[in-house]
């Protein structure tokens, strides 16, 4: 990577948009005619840093841990730094390196979220400190939404100074944090929904021998009955009742060959309260009663 010439430095736009005791907002747009452009930013001690990448193929190298990340245009990260350190940014074969950094003191966020107030607040702050908001579902950095773009435009374009600017900037940053939390929560909920059929199946595989009703399964899993039935059937192409019956019959058939176990005991072991119900289900499934199958 080469050092920028004086002419190229003149074409750089690095501006402090806002600074208070708790918040700093910096916009940087560097231009070069060469193949490589290198820049840097400072993360303060005990601070959260929001980085919005506004040009393509930006590389980031964190000096504290040597981590190298690459970002596409319109991606962002929310990163916690326990100590002050310098990070390098560069772009390859591009003529612009553009990003916006919002640095927020830890104590400000702590007071804002108040982790002692609710479990949800404590979990949010914990995720922020653990840098859970860098990758969406641990795959790729999250993408900026249209609303995030609008907020950044409002922040960079606000002209008033003093207390009005402070209140305006703080309100917009809070809104950005809300949007980030909502974006990650939507992804988590989406993942939870996609795993719902598997969670139901796992529960049934482990508890089919118990005399459980749909209502009880619904309460235990925290899924309403209609969703419970619908998602399981859509995924496995059978009803919960039929699936339980299938598991019970397969187990009963394996046990029936053991002459030492009474039919009544097999019925109870397979989740049937009454032997006649077990016998009826067994005959319907295999075309023969448990007794006749045992006799051969």
């Amino acid at each position: 990577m080469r050092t920028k010439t004086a002419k190229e430095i003149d074409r750089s736009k690095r501006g402090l948009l806002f600074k208070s005791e708790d918040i700093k907002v910096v916009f940087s747009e560097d231009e070069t005619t060469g193949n490589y452009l290198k820049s840097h930013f400072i993360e303060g001690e005990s601070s959260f840093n929001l980085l919005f990448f506004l040009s393509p193929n930006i590389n980031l190298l964190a000096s504290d841990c040597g981590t190298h990340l690459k970002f596409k245009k319109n991606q962002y990260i929310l990163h916690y730094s326990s100590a002050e350190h310098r990070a390098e940014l560069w772009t390859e074969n591009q003529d612009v390196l553009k990003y916006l950094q919002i640095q927020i003191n830890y104590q400000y966020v702590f007071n804002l979220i108040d982790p002692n107030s609710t479990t949800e607040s404590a979990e949010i702050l914990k995720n922020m400190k653990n840098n859970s908001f860098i990758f969406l579902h641990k795959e790729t950095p999250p993408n900026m939404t249209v609303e995030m773009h609008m907020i950044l435009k409002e922040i960079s374009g606000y002209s008033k100074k003093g207390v009005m600017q402070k209140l305006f900037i703080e309100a917009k940053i809070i809104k950005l944090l809300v949007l980030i939390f909502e974006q990650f929560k939507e992804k988590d909920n989406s993942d939870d929904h996609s795993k719902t059929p598997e969670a139901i199946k796992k529960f049934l595989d482990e508890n089919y021998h118990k005399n459980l009703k749909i209502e009880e399964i619904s309460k235990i899993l925290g899924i309403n009955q209609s969703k419970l039935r619908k998602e399981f059937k859509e995924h496995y192409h059978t009803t919960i009742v039929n699936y339980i019956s299938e598991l019970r019959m397969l187990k009963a058939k394996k046990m029936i060959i053991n002459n030492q176990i009474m039919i009544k005991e097999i019925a109870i072991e397979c989740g049937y309260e009454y032997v006649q119900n077990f016998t009826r289900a067994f005959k319907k499934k295999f075309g023969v009663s448990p007794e006749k199958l045992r006799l051969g």
Side-chain angles (χ1 to χ4, degrees), residues 49-55 57-60 67-79 89 131-145 148 180 183-184 187:
N49 289 269
L50 265 168
L51 284 171
F52 296 95
F53 303 98
L54 305 174
S55 58
N57 303 319
I58 295 179
N59 294 270
L60 184 152
T67 302
H68 177 204
L69 301 171
K70 193 168 185 177
F71 301 93
K72 297 178 182 178
K73 185 178 181 180
N74 299 328
Q75 291 184 328
Y76 73 88
I77 57 172
L78 171 56
H79 180 255
L89 295 172
N131 289 321
S132 300
F133 296 101
I134 291 181
F135 292 98
L136 192 59
H137 192 48
K138 302 186 184 302
E139 292 175 355
T140 59
N143 293 311
M144 295 171 59
T145 65
M148 289 178 188
I180 291 169
Q183 189 178 39
F184 275 78
K187 179 63 178 176

Side-chain angles (χ1 to χ4, degrees), residues 227-291:
K227 181 179 178 181
L228 190 76
R229 291 188 175 95
K230 180 182 177 183
E231 295 212 7
F232 188 85
K233 187 172 183 179
E234 285 181 352
H235 197 82
Y236 294 107
H237 309 293
T238 187
T239 65
I240 290 176
V241 172
N242 287 341
Y243 184 71
I244 291 174
S245 178
E246 184 73 15
L247 292 178
R248 288 175 172 178
M249 289 299 101
L250 291 175
K251 181 174 183 178
K253 191 174 182 181
K254 289 180 181 179
M255 295 180 69
I256 211 76
I257 61 174
N258 187 343
N259 293 325
Q260 302 302 314
I261 306 176
M262 296 176 59
I263 300 297
K264 182 179 180 180
E265 291 177 305
I266 295 175
I268 295 172
E269 185 68 22
C270 292
Y272 289 91
E273 188 176 357
Y274 302 104
V275 177
Q276 56 268 37
N277 292 343
F278 167 69
T279 300
R280 190 181 304 113
F282 193 94
K283 189 172 182 179
K284 182 179 180 181
K285 173 67 177 176
F286 299 111
V288 63
S289 68
E291 293 84 358

Side-chain angles (χ1 to χ4, degrees), residues 3 15 27-28 48 50 67 71 75 82 105 118 149 151 259 289:
T3 305
F27 173 75
S28 180
F48 292 101
L50 265 168
T67 302
F71 301 93
Q75 291 184 328
S82 58
N105 285 348
T118 65
H149 274 287
I151 291 174
N259 293 325
S289 68

Side-chain angles (χ1 to χ4, degrees), residues 27-272:
F27 173 75
S28 180
E29 182 176 5
D30 296 325
E31 298 182 46
T32 180
T33 56
N35 291 331
Y36 297 97
L37 175 63
K38 186 176 180 180
S39 183
H40 74 274
F41 68 91
I42 304 295
E43 288 191 321
E45 180 181 358
S46 298
S47 67
F48 292 101
N49 289 269
L50 265 168
L51 284 171
F52 296 95
F53 303 98
L54 305 174
S55 58
N57 303 319
I58 295 179
N59 294 270
L60 184 152
L61 181 63
S63 61
D64 62 331
C65 58
T67 302
H68 177 204
L69 301 171
K70 193 168 185 177
F71 301 93
K72 297 178 182 178
K73 185 178 181 180
N74 299 328
Q75 291 184 328
Y76 73 88
I77 57 172
L78 171 56
H79 180 255
Y80 173 70
S81 177
S82 58
E84 181 177 308
H85 72 270
R86 175 189 180 109
E88 293 181 339
L89 295 172
W90 71 92
T91 181
E92 300 173 9
N93 299 317
Q94 299 291 335
D95 59 354
V96 177
L97 171 58
K98 184 163 63 171
Y99 64 92
L100 188 141
Q101 177 195 11
I102 299 175
Q103 182 172 286
I104 316 168
N105 285 348
Y106 172 83
Q107 193 60 47
Y108 179 86
V109 176
F110 184 96
N111 295 337
L112 182 67
I113 293 177
D114 188 9
N116 297 318
S117 61
T118 65
T119 303
E120 182 184 20
S121 298
E123 187 66 22
I124 287 175
L125 187 63
K126 178 183 174 182
N127 284 332
M128 291 178 73
K129 286 194 70 176
N130 291 339
N131 289 321
S132 300
F133 296 101
I134 291 181
F135 292 98
L136 192 59
H137 192 48
K138 302 186 184 302
E139 292 175 355
T140 59
N143 293 311
M144 295 171 59
T145 65
V146 173
E147 196 168 0
M148 289 178 188
H149 274 287
M150 292 174 64
I151 291 174
L152 295 190
K153 188 175 181 179
E154 289 174 329
I155 288 175
S156 59
Y158 194 76
S159 58
K160 293 181 180 179
K161 300 297 180 181
V163 67
M164 294 297 292
Q165 184 188 31
K166 180 177 184 295
L167 293 173
F168 181 86
I169 296 294
E170 288 186 2
K172 295 302 176 183
I173 289 175
I174 291 171
K175 181 59 178 176
L176 280 173
L177 291 175
V178 169
L179 291 173
I180 291 169
F181 300 151
E182 287 179 345
Q183 189 178 39
F184 275 78
K185 189 173 182 180
E186 283 176 9
K187 179 63 178 176
D188 290 340
N189 288 341
S190 175
D191 294 337
D192 290 342
H193 291 161
S194 67
K195 294 176 183 176
T196 296
E198 287 87 347
I200 299 170
K201 181 179 181 298
K202 184 176 185 294
F203 178 83
L204 298 179
D205 289 343
E206 295 172 353
N207 298 278
Y208 68 89
H209 58 288
K210 298 177 182 178
N211 188 23
L212 293 174
K213 307 296 182 186
I214 294 291
E215 295 83 1
E216 295 173 281
I217 298 173
S218 172
K219 289 180 181 178
I220 293 171
L221 294 178
I223 306 170
N224 69 62
Q225 294 181 45
S226 59
K227 181 179 178 181
L228 190 76
R229 291 188 175 95
K230 180 182 177 183
E231 295 212 7
F232 188 85
K233 187 172 183 179
E234 285 181 352
H235 197 82
Y236 294 107
H237 309 293
T238 187
T239 65
I240 290 176
V241 172
N242 287 341
Y243 184 71
I244 291 174
S245 178
E246 184 73 15
L247 292 178
R248 288 175 172 178
M249 289 299 101
L250 291 175
K251 181 174 183 178
K253 191 174 182 181
K254 289 180 181 179
M255 295 180 69
I256 211 76
I257 61 174
N258 187 343
N259 293 325
Q260 302 302 314
I261 306 176
M262 296 176 59
I263 300 297
K264 182 179 180 180
E265 291 177 305
I266 295 175
I268 295 172
E269 185 68 22
C270 292
Y272 289 91

